Amino acid sequence: MSRRPWKDARTVADLGNAMADWLEGRIAPCPSFCDGGPDDETRHLIPTLVACNRAGYVTTCSQPGHLPTRGCDGRTYRQRAFVKGWISDTHLLNRIRAHAKRSGITVIAIRPGGSSHPTVPVTEADGEVCAAVGFTPGHRRLIASDWRGVGSNAVRELRTATQIALVDPEWGRDTLWSALARAVYH
């Protein structure tokens, strides 16, 4: 294992292996967007997220679905299950798309130079959107902000990769993960 796994990454696959190692607690977080370890609510997703990353779907953000729950601030929150990240392997991308669509999962895929997708709310508090996926400021800008400190060859490959988000359209449902697992263990 490299002493500088993020900086030494040469490919998107290398970034996926580094992300899997981070999820498993083996290495420090990526300097530009991970702080600490995975959130407690996503701990049960780690095996699926690790499999995705090792297969070549570099996940950068995810959450489980959950039904309305009162938060510590007194507001009622609900979540849609979602995951987003990057894929350069077109066979894996097509397999994930196919499994997601068969399971009724919304697929948002933005290729380099592609246009943004309207946002899809994934977290609400008292009916107010707190988080959404879909919008992108463009590949280069997003990569420059999210992937500071990684190897320049990996950054070049990211510029040709597809940004992909999978969102379960049903609030509170958590079936996204089984569809994703089927795609990556295929």
Side-chain angles (χ1 to χ4, degrees):
M1 184 182 308
S2 167
R3 292 181 345 122
R4 304 175 325 162
W6 302 105
K7 187 69 176 167
D8 292 344
R10 300 184 56 78
T11 64
V12 170
D14 290 345
L15 290 175
N17 283 317
M19 189 65 75
D21 287 344
W22 170 75
L23 285 162
E24 293 176 325
R26 296 175 210 244
I27 64 170
C30 181
S32 57
F33 68 88
C34 300
D35 56 350
D39 291 339
D40 286 339
E41 76 171 357
T42 61
R43 296 245 180 247
H44 71 286
L45 305 178
I46 289 175
T48 301
L49 294 171
V50 165
C52 288
N53 280 282
R54 297 233 189 265
Y57 178 17
V58 182
T59 64
T60 57
C61 190
S62 60
Q63 74 181 23
H66 73 69
L67 295 171
T69 306
R70 182 146 329 267
C72 60
D73 61 358
R75 298 173 78 191
T76 300
Y77 290 84
R78 69 179 183 162
Q79 292 183 174
R80 286 183 170 128
F82 87 91
V83 61
K84 66 179 183 173
W86 299 84
I87 298 178
S88 62
D89 178 337
T90 55
H91 296 294
L92 177 61
L93 176 63
N94 291 336
R95 215 169 50 239
I96 288 174
R97 276 183 166 152
H99 281 274
K101 287 184 178 182
R102 275 195 298 274
S103 299
I105 303 298
T106 300
V107 177
I108 302 167
I110 304 170
R111 300 208 28 86
S115 60
S116 294
H117 184 280
T119 59
V120 176
V122 293
T123 305
E124 289 184 346
D126 291 338
E128 182 180 315
V129 175
C130 301
V133 297
F135 172 77
T136 179
H139 267 51
R140 286 187 176 269
R141 189 184 303 165
L142 188 59
I143 292 165
S145 104
D146 283 357
W147 294 100
R148 286 185 316 275
V150 302
S152 58
N153 289 336
V155 167
R156 273 193 289 285
E157 191 172 310
L158 278 169
R159 289 182 184 144
T160 65
T162 298
Q163 294 178 61
I164 183 170
L166 306 174
V167 181
D168 192 324
E170 189 174 318
W171 292 99
R173 190 170 66 176
D174 217 20
T175 59
L176 161 68
W177 311 107
S178 57
L180 191 53
R182 283 191 303 276
V184 297
Y185 289 123
H186 179 74

